[in-house]
Structures are given as structure tokens and as C-alpha cells.
Amino acid sequence: MTKAFLLLFWVCGTTLLCGQDLSPNQVLNKSIAYHDPQGNWIDFKGQLFITMKIPNSSVRLSEITIDLPQQYFKLITKKDNITTEQIINKGLCKFLLNGSETLSEDEIAKHRLTCERTQTMRDYYTYLYGLPMKLKNKGTLLDRKVYRKTFKGKIYEVLKVTYEEAVGNDTWYFYFDPVTYALEVYQFYHDEEKNDGEYIILSGLEEINGIKMPKIRAWYYNKDDKYLGTDTLAKSAPNID
């Protein structure tokens, strides 16, 4: 009898999960109730302090300010003694390099200080740290069934998600603990038949404004499990010597 079978037997026997036949929306709602029990994400105002470590690269520190009601986003990034600031305030963009707003064309290109890039970073951070709540957004297409998959020796309830063309083209899978419905893994493909894309393993929790967010995210390629990097979320900025 395999470990996966024993775990499935334990889950079914203690929670009656296998007999419930939950719909995708029911699974999603249970996960949202776990991560955002007070429904705070829709009006989120707060700061995220993220330390990114990538093999053969120096550490990158990011300070992110998000104010969803005021449509405000600011990203301050520090790496190799260089500090960039990217701001979107109700659609208006502003950039600073080492505290200066006077930038050459070469500096703008080198550090990718454009409105388009800043909007991409805003969407990136609000999407990943707004999960699973963001799966309620317009244009998100939940597959009609809940999948049960074993990943790294653990059985998960899995939702497959695609998007309307105007929103995105990737295929995503979200892995939920079958007891708590905590989101513990997500995975995306540009072309699933090619097994491209990446998977991200989540561990630990940081509660910010009443929302349980993943503290540690470790990134890997789907095709060969190659490790790409780890980012760590904290409530306050790390001490820097």
C-alpha cells in the first residue's frame, strides 16, 4: 500500500472529503475563507518587504506599497548599491534612480523604468500575493472539475485555471491542502504539452492586514525541476549592515 494511498485513506476517513464532491467554486471559497477570513483583500492597504535570492546573483530587496482603493503602487528595489523606485498613482507614473528623478535614456533602458514595466510589476505582485482571492477576478476561467493530484508525496485538491484572452494565455494549477484548503503550490504553463513554465512551492505564513500570505516561495522549472530562486516575505524591512 503506497504512502499516497494511505494519505488519501486518512483524508477521506477523517474529513469525508472524498464523498463531498466539492465544486471548484466551493474549493476556492474554502481557501479564501482560510487565507482572507475577513474579506480584507478587496480594500488592501499595506507594505510587503521581500528578500529575493537567486543562484549566482546578489540579494535583491524589494519594498512594495499597495493601496488598492487609491490605485496606488510603489516598488522600491535595492540591489548592488543601486536603488530604483517605480510608482503608479491613479495611472500616472514616476521613477527615481538612487533618489534622482533626472534619468538618462540609457538609465531608463538599463533599469527598465517605464510605465509598461511598472504596470507589469504591479500586476505580478498583486496577483501572487492576492491569491487565492484573485481567482475571483473577471476573466478567470475555472475548470469544471476538481482534480486530485499527488505532488512531492502529498495529495492535493487542485484547480485548473485558464483566462480569457484579454487577461492571459497561460494555464495554471493551484494545489490546496485537502484539510485546511491552504494554498501550498501553484504551477503554470505557457504550453502544457511542452512541459514548460514553472512551479512554486509555498511554505510558512505571514499575516498582513488579516490576510495569511505565503512567507516563502521557492521557484522551479517544470521540465527539469531546476531551482530558480526563493523570495521571503516579512512584515518589516530586514536590517541591512
Side-chain angles (χ1 to χ4, degrees):
M1 189 176 293
T2 66
K3 289 183 179 180
F5 180 84
L6 288 173
L7 179 58
L8 178 60
F9 177 80
W10 179 83
V11 169
C12 293
T14 57
T15 68
L16 299 180
L17 175 68
C18 296
Q20 288 182 346
D21 292 328
L22 296 179
S23 70
N25 272 311
Q26 286 174 318
V27 170
L28 178 56
N29 289 339
K30 282 179 175 288
S31 185
I32 291 173
Y34 174 84
H35 286 280
D36 185 16
Q38 299 172 0
N40 291 338
W41 173 253
I42 192 171
D43 293 315
F44 183 83
K45 300 178 184 180
Q47 288 184 298
L48 310 177
F49 298 92
I50 300 170
T51 301
M52 183 71 186
K53 296 182 179 180
I54 300 172
N56 304 315
S57 181
S58 53
V59 172
R60 185 182 73 204
L61 302 177
S62 298
E63 176 184 331
I64 300 151
T65 303
I66 298 171
D67 186 335
L68 294 180
Q70 294 300 316
Q71 303 175 51
Y72 181 85
F73 172 82
K74 178 167 71 172
L75 170 61
I76 301 175
T77 302
K78 299 178 181 180
K79 183 179 180 182
D80 298 329
N81 297 317
I82 295 174
T83 300
T84 61
E85 295 184 49
Q86 301 167 255
I87 300 168
I88 298 179
N89 187 5
K90 293 184 172 66
L92 300 177
C93 302
K94 180 179 178 180
F95 311 103
L96 292 88
L97 176 62
N98 293 329
S100 175
E101 293 185 53
T102 304
L103 309 177
S104 68
E105 291 186 5
D106 287 344
E107 288 173 330
I108 291 172
K110 179 180 179 179
H111 300 286
R112 306 173 73 182
L113 299 176
T114 66
C115 280
E116 182 178 9
R117 175 63 178 173
T118 304
Q119 289 167 354
T120 297
M121 298 309 295
R122 176 199 60 193
D123 295 345
Y124 168 83
Y125 283 114
T126 55
Y127 180 78
L128 292 184
Y129 285 102
L131 289 170
M133 295 73 73
K134 293 287 286 183
L135 298 182
K136 290 285 188 177
N137 280 17
K138 184 178 179 181
T140 303
L141 307 174
L142 292 181
D143 194 269
R144 297 180 65 180
K145 65 178 288 186
V146 176
Y147 297 83
R148 184 170 287 112
K149 293 186 177 184
T150 300
F151 186 86
K152 304 294 183 183
K154 179 172 178 176
I155 295 174
Y156 289 96
E157 298 291 285
V158 180
L159 297 183
K160 179 180 179 181
V161 173
T162 54
Y163 294 89
E164 293 180 357
E165 187 174 354
V167 178
N169 298 313
D170 293 338
T171 298
W172 287 73
Y173 290 89
F174 297 91
Y175 295 68
F176 302 93
D177 180 276
V179 178
T180 65
Y181 291 92
L183 178 59
E184 294 188 351
V185 181
Y186 39 76
Q187 182 177 35
F188 68 88
Y189 299 91
H190 306 304
D191 185 338
E192 195 167 353
E193 291 185 358
K194 295 180 179 179
N195 195 34
D196 61 6
E198 302 164 15
Y199 66 86
I200 301 92
I201 297 176
L202 314 176
S203 59
L205 293 170
E206 195 73 74
E207 187 167 322
I208 299 177
N209 294 5
I211 301 171
K212 299 182 185 75
M213 296 182 178
K215 184 173 183 64
I216 298 171
R217 300 186 303 174
W219 299 72
Y220 301 84
Y221 280 131
N222 287 322
K223 61 184 177 182
D224 56 9
D225 294 313
K226 180 181 177 181
Y227 170 69
L228 298 173
T230 298
D231 54 66
T232 302
L233 171 68
K235 289 184 179 180
S236 59
N239 293 323
I240 304 173
D241 296 329

